[in-house]
Amino acid sequence: MTDLTSLGVKAIRDGVRSGDFTAREVAESFNDAVAGAAALNAFIVTTPDHALAAADAADKARADGKDLGPMAGVPIGMKDLFATHGVQTTAASHILEGFTPHYESTVSQKLWDAGAGMLGKLNLDQFAMGSSNETSFFGNVSSPWRKQGSNAAMSPGGSSGGSSSAVAARIAPAATGTDTGGSIRQPAAFAGISGIKPTYGRCSRWGVVAFASSLDQAGPMARSVEDCAIMLGAMAGFDPKDATSLEMDVPDWEAALSSDLKGKKVGIPKEYRMEGTDQAILDSWEQGKAWLKDAGAQIVDISLPHTKYALPAYYIIAPAEASSNLARYDGVRYGLRDLPEGAGLQDMYAATRAEGFGDEVKRRILIGTYVLSAGFYDAYYTQAQKVRTLVARDFENAWNECDVILAPTTPTASFPLGSLDADPLTMYLNDVFAVPASLAGLPAMSVPATMNEDGLPLGLQLVGKPFDEQTVLDAGLAIQQRSGFAHAPAKWW
C-alpha cells in the first residue's frame, strides 16, 4: 500500500473519494507521523481525536452516498494563531498559555466545514513576530532539512515555522499559515514547499490572534501549487465579522489552473537585485525566468523604485499596530496574571506583561509605542504610511507593463538556529523581498525552485495584481512543472 504520508491534499482527497483508502487510514498514518516527530517541535498541542473524528465523518458521508467536501479526508496542521474551540490557543506566548477559546476562527471553521481534520496546533514565532521560529515560548522549531555534512539544527523560517517544518517533514499534508510581512512565503522557501498569501481581505481575520491588522492575512502552505489552490478555496470567502473582508465570490482556482502563460508578461524588478543576496538565489532567479519564458510568457524588466524603503516602513507600521493590538493582554480578562503580593493594578499590568511577553515581542511593542508617541508620530508613523502608499503605487504602475512579477523569496537559504540571535536587524532583512507585496496587500506565492550547494531548498516568489491569485498560481504551476522539484529532507528525527 502507498505510504499515505507521502500524499498531498489532492491525492488524499481523490483517493478517499474513489475508495482507494479510507479517511481514517489517512488520519491514523499522519497521527503516527506526528507522534514520531517530536524532535522537530513543530506542534504545541496535538489533537489526534479531532483528526479521527473528521475522518470518520468523511468515511460515513461517502458510505451514505453524500457529496464530500473539497478537503474531506485531509488532516491538516493549524497554526496556533487561529482560535480553535475547546483547544488551547497561545500564539506561542506564555501570556496566553492555557487559554482555551469558546469560539472558532472563521478560517478554521471553513476548513472543518470543507471536511478537513486537525492534527494539532502548530508552533510559531511568538505572536507571529520573527523570521526563524526562535521566539516561541514553547521552544525552537527545527527544520527537517540539514546542510550536507552537518547536523546543525536549521531554521524552518518564520513566523509559520511549525507549518513549514510539518509539511516538509511529511507529518502533515498541508497547514495554515499567516503572512504579515512574509511569514508564509519565507518559511515555505526555507522548507522547500509552496505557500500563498492571498490578496488582503480574501481570508477572514476573525478569530486570528492579531499582530498588525492592516497586514495580517491567512493562507495555505502545502507541497504543491495544486494543493494550495484547493486549500485556499476552502479558506477564502466573505465574513461579515471582519470589516476588512472582501465581499467577492471565491473563484475555483483549482479548476482554472493552467501552466500555459502565452500572452502573459512577467516583470523582473531591477531593485530586487540587492547586495548580500546569495549567488545561488540569483542563479535560481535566472532559471525561473527561463522556465516562465518556456511556458510562453514574455519577460520584461520593470522598476519598483521605492523598494528599498519598504522594509524600514514595515518595521514602523507593523510594530505600531502590534503595540496597540497587544495592549489587551493585561492579566485582567484572560491569559497569564502575575500579581505580586500587595501589588496594585499598575503593578499587575507591568508584572504580567514583563513575565508573559518574550524579548522580540517586547522589542516591537517598545518600537511601536515610541513611533506612535506625541512628538514622534508625524516623524515616523505618518512618514511610513506615506512610503507605504508609494510602494503600492509602484506596483500599480508596474501592472501597466506586466501581469505578474517574479523575484526571489529570500536573500539566502535557511541558516542554523542561533546564528542570528545577536543581530535582530540581520534577521529582519530576511523579509526584504517579501515585505513590499504585504504593504501593498497583493497576492504573493513562494514555490520551491532549486537546491543550493549545501543541499538546502531555494524558493522563487510570484506577486500578482489585486484579486488575481489565479495568475500567481498559474505561474507557480509553470515553475513547479519545469523545476520538477521533488526533493525531500532525509529523515533524522
Side-chain angles (χ1 to χ4, degrees), residues 438-463:
S438 292
L439 289 176
L442 299 173
M445 181 174 204
S446 182
V447 291
T450 59
M451 302 283 283
N452 71 3
E453 61 184 9
D454 291 323
L456 297 174
L458 306 175
L460 286 173
Q461 180 182 201
L462 296 150
V463 182

Side-chain angles (χ1 to χ4, degrees), residues 333-350:
R333 286 158 291 186
Y334 47 79
L336 177 73
R337 176 181 294 178
D338 190 332
L339 186 59
E341 191 173 344
L345 187 63
Q346 291 296 328
D347 295 326
M348 184 193 78
Y349 288 161

